[in-house]
Amino acid sequence: MNPKTGWVQEFWRIVVLILVAWAAGAVLDQVYLFVLLALLAYTLRNLYNLRRLAIWTADPQFAEIPVHFGLLGDIYSKISRVALRQAQKEKRLTALVNEYTASTSALPDAAVALDASGRIRWFNDAASRLLGLQPAKDVGQPFLNLFRNPEMADFIKRADYSDMLQTTAPGNSERKLEVRLAPYGNEQTLLLAQDITERLQHERMRKDFVANVSHELRTPLTVVSGFIENLQIDEELNTERLARPLDLMAQQTARMSRIVEDLLLLARLESDTNRNRHDEIDVAGLIRSAADEIHSLADDVPRIECEISSSRRLRGDEKQLRSVVTNLLVNAVNHTPADGAIQVIWRDQGPQSFLEVRDNGEGIAPEHIPRLTERFYRVDAGRSRDRGGTGLGLAIVKHILQHHDGRLEIRSRLGEGSQFVCRFSAARLLQ
Amino acid sequence: MDTSNLKHHYSQQFNSELEDIRSRVLGMGGLVERQLELAVVSLGDRENALAESVVYNDRDVNACDMDIDERCTMILALRQPTASDLRLVLAVIKTTADLERIGDEAKRVAKMVARASDLDRESNLFGKIVHLGEQVQHMLHRALDAFARMDVEAAIEVVGEDLNIDSEYESVLRQSMDYMMQDPSSIPVVMDTVWAARSLERIGDRCCNISEYVIYFVKGKDVRHASLEQIRNEFEG
């Protein structure tokens, strides 16, 4: 209805009312009284309508519109239109919220929203399943009061959003979780926990399998290589025709047993994560003896220079650290021509110390560098195998350094040589 | 959760102090839970290195104990708390003491593992003690959860669970006696396992105590020496 017509109708209604009252008053000679009474009646009717309006607006959606005529009818229809729109909007929003809650509760990972002081604001169904949170009771509770693992408290305090934490579920040490944090909104944090029990089981199965296979291969290999040695010694059999095949067999079985040994070493390194020994290692002495050893093994190796400027010792497993130095040196020797030069450096820089092996050999193309520590990754498959590498050396180095809170950094330029840098943190160093 | 009364103090500082000691007790609880877990694992896997780390880390638990006691003393002296605030501080002090003792018992179990390396791990007796240890671990976890939520019903459940622990302990004892009678040369080893079982059983009792402090804080009623039946009639009926 046009708002103007409402006003016009109302106006004509008052005019007609007054005219009628006037006419009636003129007949009975009481004009003022009648007009007054008419206006009084009009006011009373308006008051009554206002009251009806007030009652009706309490729930305007479903009730019938009581008045269709005049200014009031106008107001009624407007209000009911607004109410209808509101109801539709509400319905849409409710549907949206429902859909949102349904989708978050369908998430397989636990999600918990924490406020700035670490209290729980909200969590999904998976969080009550995986973390044992109780829907009605635990909102508003400090999260760490319920998830009391000491490492969890450290992890949340550190608030390193790029990091992940592997931990066990509260009250169920069989279930392993991987927890991540993400900041959002106003100093709030979203905590996500994923159940990785199965994944860890698979990983363990894979590692066990490799370790078992390597172990089982060891005995037959020993037998085979023993007999090959016997055959080589036997003058009757070691004729012109058989000499070369026997040599090759001896070489390849030796290589195979090196691979098996390296695989077993890797398996061992992976299985005991934080139970390594704490010897005080004389790194300088270790470097010198490793260099001497390599010099004594072959004649056509490049010169190895030891530059030792640090007197620090390292806390760790001496055997493992020796294997780091030997592996890096053997790699350098294999990839440097005999007239090249190799430097081994042990130096301090601030609180950290660096063990570096530099060569001026062929170098490594940049696309290979990130993958060098993968098992059996080879830059040039044919060549490194000729030199007797197992393809596991750098993987072993990386693992050993992890055990010693160290890091391996590789820098190289094609044609100019490579640098392998082991960085050790202050906590492991002794003056 | 009955923490509403922690929120209406005029002094914001006082509120946060009360919240803080509560969180600290639970943090200490987490540490003790870890100690107990590692002690039981070291018992099951015969890992001496692990057992030694449990013995070593007990000092962290003791440090927590002293720190929380100190804070509670400060609150008592400076704030003179009354009613539920006072009950909270008292419950915290007592819970801390019990947690410290649980830590000591875990250390005792770990010491036994570190010492008796020739224990026959295949024996049935051993599996039983590990099982007892896992049950006690679960009980400690639930007692601390009840403390975090100040949940009386959960606390009563924990008190009820102690019956299972006691019967499990009895059966370990009976079996140990059988072993000792059959083979007197095994007595030193079996005695060690009996002491470990005894320690675990004591941890169960201390978990009951913690649950009783929860009831004390929420309901203001001391139920320490009441029977389980009495407690149930009082708060569930």
Side-chain angles (χ1 to χ4, degrees), chain B residues 26-116:
Chain B
L26 288 162
M28 175 179 178
L31 210 61
V32 172
E33 272 183 272
R34 169 56 46 84
Q35 287 281 88
L36 178 60
E37 184 192 332
L38 294 184
V40 173
V41 168
S42 76
L43 191 70
D45 298 350
R46 315 284 315 113
E47 286 233 28
N48 291 18
L50 201 59
E52 274 160 23
S53 81
V54 173
V55 175
Y56 182 82
N57 288 335
D58 189 51
R59 65 185 59 188
D60 294 347
V61 177
N62 293 344
C64 269
D65 177 35
M66 287 173 59
D67 174 55
I68 294 169
D69 260 10
E70 169 89 38
R71 281 165 199 276
C72 289
T73 315
M74 291 300 270
I75 290 179
L76 287 178
L78 295 176
R79 306 282 184 185
Q80 282 117 36
T82 54
S84 74
D85 299 335
L86 178 62
R87 292 205 303 276
L88 178 70
V89 176
L90 289 178
V92 164
I93 292 175
K94 284 161 178 277
T95 304
T96 314
D98 270 312
L99 284 174
E100 197 271 332
R101 294 290 177 80
I102 293 175
D104 285 349
E105 302 286 2
K107 182 167 99 173
R108 198 161 295 162
V109 173
K111 261 188 177 162
M112 190 280 283
V113 175
R115 192 176 57 229

Side-chain angles (χ1 to χ4, degrees), chain A residues 304-371:
Chain A
I304 300 176
E305 288 166 12
C306 305
E307 284 177 26
I308 287 144
S309 63
S310 165
S311 58
R312 286 184 184 156
R313 289 161 167 267
L314 187 72
R315 210 155 40 78
D317 188 323
E318 177 149 14
K319 230 169 109 188
Q320 291 186 3
L321 206 76
R322 174 177 287 273
S323 135
V324 168
V325 177
T326 322
N327 268 311
L328 290 179
L329 276 178
V330 168
N331 270 350
V333 167
N334 281 345
H335 295 94
T336 310
D339 56 349
I342 296 170
Q343 288 172 298
V344 195
I345 301 166
W346 175 236
R347 63 180 174 89
D348 296 342
Q349 186 179 328
Q352 298 183 325
S353 290
F354 294 83
L355 172 68
E356 293 183 30
V357 177
R358 296 184 187 181
D359 64 54
N360 58 2
E362 63 222 42
I364 308 155
E367 69 265 24
H368 296 300
I369 291 181
R371 300 192 57 193

Side-chain angles (χ1 to χ4, degrees), chain A residues 119 131-142 144-151 153 167-174 176 274-275, chain B residues 1 3 7 19 22-24 26-27 29-31 33-34 37 47 49-50 134 137-138 140-145 148-151 153-154:
Chain A
R119 288 171 194 279
L131 311 178
L133 299 180
Q134 293 180 3
K137 289 178 185 164
D138 290 342
V139 172
Q141 175 86 245
L144 289 173
N145 281 6
L146 294 169
F147 204 120
R148 295 179 291 266
N149 277 3
E151 9 4 303
T167 182
T168 53
N172 182 0
S173 49
E174 302 283 304
K176 307 282 186 256
N274 46 15
R275 266 170 248 155
Chain B
M1 195 173 59
T3 47
K7 291 191 181 121
E19 273 285 318
R22 217 164 75 100
S23 293
R24 274 174 199 274
L26 288 162
L31 210 61
E33 272 183 272
R34 169 56 46 84
E37 184 192 332
E47 286 233 28
L50 201 59
E134 279 161 3
Q137 238 173 288
H138 186 61
L140 174 60
H141 184 79
R142 298 225 330 221
L144 288 172
D145 271 357
R149 297 186 174 117
M150 288 302 169
D151 181 343
E153 275 162 43

Side-chain angles (χ1 to χ4, degrees), chain A residues 65 87 145 255 291 387 405 430:
Chain A
I65 294 178
N145 281 6
R255 201 172 87 83
R387 292 173 178 163
D405 306 321
L430 304 159

